[in-house]
Amino acid sequence: MKISYSWLKDYLEFDLSPQAVADALTSIGLEVDSVTESEQVPGGLKGVVVAEVKECIPHPDSDHLHITKVDDGGEELLTVICGAPNVAAGEKVLFARIGAVLPGDFKIKKSKIRGVESYGMICAEDELGIGSDHAGIMVLPSDAVTGTTAKDYLHLSSDAVIEIDLTANRVDAASHIGVARDLYAYLQLNKIPCELHIPDVSSFMEGEEPCGPDGALPIQVDDVAGAPRYSGITLRGVRISSSPEWMQKKLLSIGLRPINNVVDISNFVLMECGQPLHTFDADKVSGGKIIVRRASEGEKLVTLDGIGRSLKSSDMVIADKNGAMCLAGVFGGSDSGVTDSTEDVFLESAYFDPVSIRKTSKSHGLQTDASYRYERGADPECVPYALMRASLLIQEFAGGKIVGKIQENYPVRIEKKVIDLDYDRMESLIGKKIGHDTIENILGYLNYDFIEKRKNADGIPSGAIVAAPTYMIDVYRECDVIEEVLRIYGYNNIELPSRLVMSVNPTSSPEPEAVRNGISNFLSANGFAETMNNSLTKSEYYVPLKTFPEESCVRIVNPLSSDLNVMRQTLILNGLEVISYNIRRQTTSMKFYEYGSVYRKDPGKDGTTLDSYEEHSDYTIFITGTEDKTWCSEPGKGGFYQLKGYVELLLSRFGINLYNMEYEAAPEDIFSEGLIYKLPGQGRKLLSIGTVSPSLAVRFDVKQPVFAAEINWDVLFSLVKKDNISFSEMPKFPEVKRDLALLFDESVPYADIRRSAFKSVKKILKSVTLFDVYRGGNIPSGKKQYALSFVLQNDERTLTDDEVDKVMNRLISSLGNEFGAVLR
């Protein structure tokens, strides 16, 4: 929200610099983002003053230069060389002293011209940037006071634009009067002289004409819920032309383009008091009646931007008998607006339902100054004031006559919110006894109405029942009033107590945040970049998927766009978006991960049960592309086993061994090949890992292999909590390594072999490693050869050859009995 400093001073008289105003606004909750100062003439002609030419003689070495003596109000006369033909003794001129900077970044310096030193410059209009005349110097009237600054003499205006970052609950400050009200309360409390001036509309006079062709346009409100208060006035005989210069300057100062006098007045009143207005060409209203209603589903409207729009039944429209003329509170229509030929206008001022306006604004992708205010909650009590204010300005600057009375539909009055206050309780929550009188003063400055004031037995104010102004949209409770009091009083004025009392909740062990940081640090240390994606995504991603069906998507009731209409069910699709985005920018080798929430809906069956919703967090890890070649290494392709190695190493940090998990094939719509690991005996999925299905990847324009792992954080953390870390001495006795080549059926997985080995040899078997798989040659059909390495170690003594042989024979026998293994 942009606020013009000079425009603000039209409503609030004060003596503060723009920066001081910005500091005050920030302290009362209207955070200022920037202060940009502007001047009518760049630099403000600093160093330029009114001076008098005391002497003027021809330069002896020039046929056109003059040597002058100039009185600039200083102690001594200054010698100045001037080439203007009209310079003469006794003239009052504008003189630029040494050091002054004129427009065009021209700095005045001491100089020597034809042997004579010159100590300044007598200026022409174009040199000062205030005109185009360069025929001679600018000669002032004889009554000009020597030493007066050029800025003061020429009445050069300067302004500053204060840009405020308004929060959604402070739409009351989305106008110059709104900001002036808050600043007034601050200045009054701090006893800084100020005076608030709200433009008077008491001169407004309604017409006596009845509704009809030559009178007022009547209104018909068919949907009171969408338009709780709707008002309008008809003016006939207006003249469309340019708005006055002062109004154009004000609008331009905050970034609004002037259009014509009637439209500019609507925009001016909007920025003045915060109430949106809309002006219709009354002659274009078919049927002679304004109708406020909901649109018909699919009804057509061409808006001011020339775009034809298909309306929804939830949209509020202003219509005539032929159809919709504009989107109420959002955007005007192209066929009903004011043009250069307009003579009669209908001026609208209304309070529309904020929810309805927000839905319309978002569904059509239209964000206007009017919708910004309506969807946050305009002031219903400002409706008639803005209408009268704009009507008076139109009469003043566009002529015309008000015909008929104000047409208004306001069946149910929107009452002020009434709140009961206890001053002692308020001070307790504030944390300081600021004084009951101070509380009442602040509320008075903020325009709260006191319905009842209470005093204690000693006659000291103890509480009150107040009514909050209707423009305070978020004030409902005593705590809301406390916030209002505090921001005017100043949060910085509440001292920190010397003793703070707090209760500290014990942190669970292990701490989830610490575990998550540990995982992220591990992945980052291994070359993975962290990504963050929006939890909102497009539903069409899930149309062909069976693992994550579209009907299980959690849909957004009022989506910002069709690309953000559901909550994500998996992070894998977000990862494919990231890969696609980077590939299009010539980055083909990637290792990255993401931590985030996923959402799923289980629809109720047969309409007899309610939908159930699930939300949990996942870690997803991706590898794709070829690693870069260096001087000492060849490029290597990322692959499934590389990713699996990272996952196993990560889980081993928390004492989790994948070989102890149950597993099954990963779903084919997500992975072309891969595994799902589940907790044994529970069926809870820990992770899925594999090669992303090419048919899925190509939907994101990704044609290179992608390897992904998705870890369920909740399941992982449940295992981390069970991990008891213990420490032991390093082994003192040597380990023994033996290798075996065994034949197995193709259907026997390595994980089962490993599990069986540890089951048959429990204490001294330390590790089992598969280092080769062989098929073909002398290997029978349906068989495979596994080359296995076994490491044995006794923590108490050195193993003998006989002990080792017995253990190996036991392993061969056990594997033979369980899997039909044959020693090669």
PDB file of all heavy atoms in Angstrom, residues 507-530:
ATOM      1  N   THR A 507      12.040 -32.432  26.597  1.00  0.00           N
ATOM      2  CA  THR A 507      12.142 -32.810  25.194  1.00  0.00           C
ATOM      3  C   THR A 507      12.201 -34.323  25.079  1.00  0.00           C
ATOM      4  O   THR A 507      12.916 -34.989  25.829  1.00  0.00           O
ATOM      5  CB  THR A 507      13.406 -32.193  24.571  1.00  0.00           C
ATOM      6  OG1 THR A 507      13.343 -30.777  24.734  1.00  0.00           O
ATOM      7  CG2 THR A 507      13.509 -32.528  23.099  1.00  0.00           C
ATOM      8  N   SER A 508      11.428 -34.849  24.147  1.00  0.00           N
ATOM      9  CA  SER A 508      11.432 -36.296  23.947  1.00  0.00           C
ATOM     10  C   SER A 508      12.802 -36.747  23.461  1.00  0.00           C
ATOM     11  O   SER A 508      13.538 -36.004  22.815  1.00  0.00           O
ATOM     12  CB  SER A 508      10.362 -36.693  22.926  1.00  0.00           C
ATOM     13  OG  SER A 508      10.604 -36.041  21.691  1.00  0.00           O
ATOM     14  N   SER A 509      13.149 -37.956  23.794  1.00  0.00           N
ATOM     15  CA  SER A 509      14.429 -38.516  23.381  1.00  0.00           C
ATOM     16  C   SER A 509      14.183 -39.804  22.607  1.00  0.00           C
ATOM     17  O   SER A 509      13.479 -40.703  23.103  1.00  0.00           O
ATOM     18  CB  SER A 509      15.304 -38.807  24.603  1.00  0.00           C
ATOM     19  OG  SER A 509      16.558 -39.309  24.206  1.00  0.00           O
ATOM     20  N   PRO A 510      14.710 -39.896  21.401  1.00  0.00           N
ATOM     21  CA  PRO A 510      15.500 -38.871  20.710  1.00  0.00           C
ATOM     22  C   PRO A 510      14.611 -37.740  20.211  1.00  0.00           C
ATOM     23  O   PRO A 510      13.428 -37.931  19.971  1.00  0.00           O
ATOM     24  CB  PRO A 510      16.105 -39.644  19.538  1.00  0.00           C
ATOM     25  CG  PRO A 510      15.111 -40.714  19.249  1.00  0.00           C
ATOM     26  CD  PRO A 510      14.553 -41.119  20.584  1.00  0.00           C
ATOM     27  N   GLU A 511      15.223 -36.568  20.033  1.00  0.00           N
ATOM     28  CA  GLU A 511      14.481 -35.414  19.575  1.00  0.00           C
ATOM     29  C   GLU A 511      14.259 -35.507  18.065  1.00  0.00           C
ATOM     30  O   GLU A 511      15.223 -35.653  17.296  1.00  0.00           O
ATOM     31  CB  GLU A 511      15.248 -34.137  19.903  1.00  0.00           C
ATOM     32  CG  GLU A 511      14.476 -32.872  19.600  1.00  0.00           C
ATOM     33  CD  GLU A 511      15.267 -31.623  19.974  1.00  0.00           C
ATOM     34  OE1 GLU A 511      16.336 -31.766  20.593  1.00  0.00           O
ATOM     35  OE2 GLU A 511      14.808 -30.524  19.631  1.00  0.00           O
ATOM     36  N   PRO A 512      13.009 -35.462  17.592  1.00  0.00           N
ATOM     37  CA  PRO A 512      12.755 -35.623  16.156  1.00  0.00           C
ATOM     38  C   PRO A 512      13.543 -34.644  15.291  1.00  0.00           C
ATOM     39  O   PRO A 512      14.075 -35.016  14.249  1.00  0.00           O
ATOM     40  CB  PRO A 512      11.245 -35.382  16.038  1.00  0.00           C
ATOM     41  CG  PRO A 512      10.702 -35.708  17.389  1.00  0.00           C
ATOM     42  CD  PRO A 512      11.763 -35.306  18.368  1.00  0.00           C
ATOM     43  N   GLU A 513      13.613 -33.386  15.738  1.00  0.00           N
ATOM     44  CA  GLU A 513      14.318 -32.388  14.945  1.00  0.00           C
ATOM     45  C   GLU A 513      15.795 -32.731  14.798  1.00  0.00           C
ATOM     46  O   GLU A 513      16.386 -32.555  13.723  1.00  0.00           O
ATOM     47  CB  GLU A 513      14.158 -31.007  15.584  1.00  0.00           C
ATOM     48  CG  GLU A 513      14.678 -29.853  14.747  1.00  0.00           C
ATOM     49  CD  GLU A 513      13.866 -29.619  13.491  1.00  0.00           C
ATOM     50  OE1 GLU A 513      12.683 -29.992  13.455  1.00  0.00           O
ATOM     51  OE2 GLU A 513      14.437 -29.078  12.522  1.00  0.00           O
ATOM     52  N   ALA A 514      16.388 -33.241  15.886  1.00  0.00           N
ATOM     53  CA  ALA A 514      17.805 -33.613  15.834  1.00  0.00           C
ATOM     54  C   ALA A 514      18.025 -34.777  14.874  1.00  0.00           C
ATOM     55  O   ALA A 514      19.024 -34.813  14.135  1.00  0.00           O
ATOM     56  CB  ALA A 514      18.297 -33.976  17.230  1.00  0.00           C
ATOM     57  N   VAL A 515      17.112 -35.739  14.876  1.00  0.00           N
ATOM     58  CA  VAL A 515      17.239 -36.880  13.962  1.00  0.00           C
ATOM     59  C   VAL A 515      17.102 -36.407  12.515  1.00  0.00           C
ATOM     60  O   VAL A 515      17.876 -36.815  11.638  1.00  0.00           O
ATOM     61  CB  VAL A 515      16.192 -37.962  14.296  1.00  0.00           C
ATOM     62  CG1 VAL A 515      16.278 -39.108  13.288  1.00  0.00           C
ATOM     63  CG2 VAL A 515      16.394 -38.494  15.704  1.00  0.00           C
ATOM     64  N   ARG A 516      16.118 -35.552  12.258  1.00  0.00           N
ATOM     65  CA  ARG A 516      15.945 -35.042  10.895  1.00  0.00           C
ATOM     66  C   ARG A 516      17.172 -34.260  10.439  1.00  0.00           C
ATOM     67  O   ARG A 516      17.616 -34.390   9.295  1.00  0.00           O
ATOM     68  CB  ARG A 516      14.703 -34.156  10.819  1.00  0.00           C
ATOM     69  CG  ARG A 516      13.395 -34.928  10.808  1.00  0.00           C
ATOM     70  CD  ARG A 516      12.237 -34.052  10.338  1.00  0.00           C
ATOM     71  NE  ARG A 516      11.961 -32.968  11.265  1.00  0.00           N
ATOM     72  CZ  ARG A 516      11.105 -33.036  12.276  1.00  0.00           C
ATOM     73  NH1 ARG A 516      10.423 -34.153  12.483  1.00  0.00           N
ATOM     74  NH2 ARG A 516      10.899 -32.008  13.062  1.00  0.00           N
ATOM     75  N   ASN A 517      17.725 -33.443  11.336  1.00  0.00           N
ATOM     76  CA  ASN A 517      18.938 -32.703  10.985  1.00  0.00           C
ATOM     77  C   ASN A 517      20.091 -33.648  10.700  1.00  0.00           C
ATOM     78  O   ASN A 517      20.900 -33.405   9.801  1.00  0.00           O
ATOM     79  CB  ASN A 517      19.318 -31.734  12.108  1.00  0.00           C
ATOM     80  CG  ASN A 517      18.379 -30.543  12.188  1.00  0.00           C
ATOM     81  OD1 ASN A 517      17.694 -30.213  11.224  1.00  0.00           O
ATOM     82  ND2 ASN A 517      18.330 -29.902  13.341  1.00  0.00           N
ATOM     83  N   GLY A 518      20.171 -34.727  11.473  1.00  0.00           N
ATOM     84  CA  GLY A 518      21.224 -35.710  11.246  1.00  0.00           C
ATOM     85  C   GLY A 518      21.107 -36.354   9.872  1.00  0.00           C
ATOM     86  O   GLY A 518      22.112 -36.550   9.176  1.00  0.00           O
ATOM     87  N   ILE A 519      19.874 -36.689   9.471  1.00  0.00           N
ATOM     88  CA  ILE A 519      19.659 -37.282   8.150  1.00  0.00           C
ATOM     89  C   ILE A 519      20.031 -36.282   7.057  1.00  0.00           C
ATOM     90  O   ILE A 519      20.743 -36.609   6.095  1.00  0.00           O
ATOM     91  CB  ILE A 519      18.199 -37.732   8.001  1.00  0.00           C
ATOM     92  CG1 ILE A 519      17.896 -38.883   8.973  1.00  0.00           C
ATOM     93  CG2 ILE A 519      17.908 -38.160   6.572  1.00  0.00           C
ATOM     94  CD1 ILE A 519      16.430 -39.278   9.015  1.00  0.00           C
ATOM     95  N   SER A 520      19.565 -35.052   7.200  1.00  0.00           N
ATOM     96  CA  SER A 520      19.854 -34.035   6.198  1.00  0.00           C
ATOM     97  C   SER A 520      21.342 -33.744   6.113  1.00  0.00           C
ATOM     98  O   SER A 520      21.900 -33.592   5.017  1.00  0.00           O
ATOM     99  CB  SER A 520      19.085 -32.748   6.523  1.00  0.00           C
ATOM    100  OG  SER A 520      17.687 -32.968   6.495  1.00  0.00           O
ATOM    101  N   ASN A 521      22.009 -33.681   7.247  1.00  0.00           N
ATOM    102  CA  ASN A 521      23.450 -33.426   7.249  1.00  0.00           C
ATOM    103  C   ASN A 521      24.203 -34.569   6.570  1.00  0.00           C
ATOM    104  O   ASN A 521      25.172 -34.343   5.835  1.00  0.00           O
ATOM    105  CB  ASN A 521      23.950 -33.247   8.681  1.00  0.00           C
ATOM    106  CG  ASN A 521      23.461 -31.951   9.299  1.00  0.00           C
ATOM    107  OD1 ASN A 521      23.073 -31.021   8.596  1.00  0.00           O
ATOM    108  ND2 ASN A 521      23.452 -31.884  10.628  1.00  0.00           N
ATOM    109  N   PHE A 522      23.769 -35.807   6.821  1.00  0.00           N
ATOM    110  CA  PHE A 522      24.420 -36.962   6.196  1.00  0.00           C
ATOM    111  C   PHE A 522      24.290 -36.890   4.674  1.00  0.00           C
ATOM    112  O   PHE A 522      25.261 -37.071   3.934  1.00  0.00           O
ATOM    113  CB  PHE A 522      23.804 -38.259   6.721  1.00  0.00           C
ATOM    114  CG  PHE A 522      24.200 -39.483   5.941  1.00  0.00           C
ATOM    115  CD1 PHE A 522      25.406 -40.112   6.182  1.00  0.00           C
ATOM    116  CD2 PHE A 522      23.378 -39.985   4.939  1.00  0.00           C
ATOM    117  CE1 PHE A 522      25.785 -41.233   5.454  1.00  0.00           C
ATOM    118  CE2 PHE A 522      23.740 -41.100   4.203  1.00  0.00           C
ATOM    119  CZ  PHE A 522      24.949 -41.724   4.459  1.00  0.00           C
ATOM    120  N   LEU A 523      23.081 -36.622   4.189  1.00  0.00           N
ATOM    121  CA  LEU A 523      22.865 -36.580   2.747  1.00  0.00           C
ATOM    122  C   LEU A 523      23.600 -35.402   2.114  1.00  0.00           C
ATOM    123  O   LEU A 523      24.198 -35.540   1.040  1.00  0.00           O
ATOM    124  CB  LEU A 523      21.370 -36.491   2.454  1.00  0.00           C
ATOM    125  CG  LEU A 523      20.556 -37.747   2.817  1.00  0.00           C
ATOM    126  CD1 LEU A 523      19.058 -37.467   2.709  1.00  0.00           C
ATOM    127  CD2 LEU A 523      20.933 -38.916   1.922  1.00  0.00           C
ATOM    128  N   SER A 524      23.572 -34.261   2.768  1.00  0.00           N
ATOM    129  CA  SER A 524      24.273 -33.093   2.223  1.00  0.00           C
ATOM    130  C   SER A 524      25.776 -33.338   2.178  1.00  0.00           C
ATOM    131  O   SER A 524      26.450 -32.942   1.213  1.00  0.00           O
ATOM    132  CB  SER A 524      23.965 -31.851   3.064  1.00  0.00           C
ATOM    133  OG  SER A 524      22.579 -31.533   3.013  1.00  0.00           O
ATOM    134  N   ALA A 525      26.310 -33.994   3.212  1.00  0.00           N
ATOM    135  CA  ALA A 525      27.740 -34.293   3.252  1.00  0.00           C
ATOM    136  C   ALA A 525      28.141 -35.269   2.153  1.00  0.00           C
ATOM    137  O   ALA A 525      29.316 -35.316   1.758  1.00  0.00           O
ATOM    138  CB  ALA A 525      28.117 -34.855   4.622  1.00  0.00           C
ATOM    139  N   ASN A 526      27.193 -36.048   1.652  1.00  0.00           N
ATOM    140  CA  ASN A 526      27.479 -37.007   0.582  1.00  0.00           C
ATOM    141  C   ASN A 526      27.117 -36.467  -0.797  1.00  0.00           C
ATOM    142  O   ASN A 526      26.943 -37.235  -1.755  1.00  0.00           O
ATOM    143  CB  ASN A 526      26.738 -38.316   0.840  1.00  0.00           C
ATOM    144  CG  ASN A 526      27.443 -39.180   1.864  1.00  0.00           C
ATOM    145  OD1 ASN A 526      28.386 -39.900   1.546  1.00  0.00           O
ATOM    146  ND2 ASN A 526      27.004 -39.093   3.110  1.00  0.00           N
ATOM    147  N   GLY A 527      26.974 -35.158  -0.893  1.00  0.00           N
ATOM    148  CA  GLY A 527      26.812 -34.529  -2.189  1.00  0.00           C
ATOM    149  C   GLY A 527      25.392 -34.348  -2.661  1.00  0.00           C
ATOM    150  O   GLY A 527      25.170 -33.986  -3.826  1.00  0.00           O
ATOM    151  N   PHE A 528      24.407 -34.566  -1.794  1.00  0.00           N
ATOM    152  CA  PHE A 528      23.018 -34.376  -2.182  1.00  0.00           C
ATOM    153  C   PHE A 528      22.589 -32.942  -1.853  1.00  0.00           C
ATOM    154  O   PHE A 528      22.887 -32.442  -0.762  1.00  0.00           O
ATOM    155  CB  PHE A 528      22.104 -35.362  -1.444  1.00  0.00           C
ATOM    156  CG  PHE A 528      22.235 -36.785  -1.907  1.00  0.00           C
ATOM    157  CD1 PHE A 528      23.242 -37.601  -1.411  1.00  0.00           C
ATOM    158  CD2 PHE A 528      21.361 -37.314  -2.839  1.00  0.00           C
ATOM    159  CE1 PHE A 528      23.381 -38.916  -1.831  1.00  0.00           C
ATOM    160  CE2 PHE A 528      21.476 -38.617  -3.265  1.00  0.00           C
ATOM    161  CZ  PHE A 528      22.493 -39.431  -2.765  1.00  0.00           C
ATOM    162  N   ALA A 529      21.899 -32.318  -2.789  1.00  0.00           N
ATOM    163  CA  ALA A 529      21.334 -30.986  -2.551  1.00  0.00           C
ATOM    164  C   ALA A 529      19.926 -31.146  -1.984  1.00  0.00           C
ATOM    165  O   ALA A 529      19.216 -32.096  -2.320  1.00  0.00           O
ATOM    166  CB  ALA A 529      21.293 -30.181  -3.836  1.00  0.00           C
ATOM    167  N   GLU A 530      19.520 -30.222  -1.121  1.00  0.00           N
ATOM    168  CA  GLU A 530      18.170 -30.282  -0.565  1.00  0.00           C
ATOM    169  C   GLU A 530      17.240 -29.408  -1.400  1.00  0.00           C
ATOM    170  O   GLU A 530      17.580 -28.289  -1.760  1.00  0.00           O
ATOM    171  CB  GLU A 530      18.140 -29.822   0.885  1.00  0.00           C
ATOM    172  CG  GLU A 530      16.760 -29.949   1.515  1.00  0.00           C
ATOM    173  CD  GLU A 530      16.721 -29.648   2.998  1.00  0.00           C
ATOM    174  OE1 GLU A 530      17.741 -29.196   3.540  1.00  0.00           O
ATOM    175  OE2 GLU A 530      15.662 -29.873   3.616  1.00  0.00           O
TER     176      GLU A 530
END
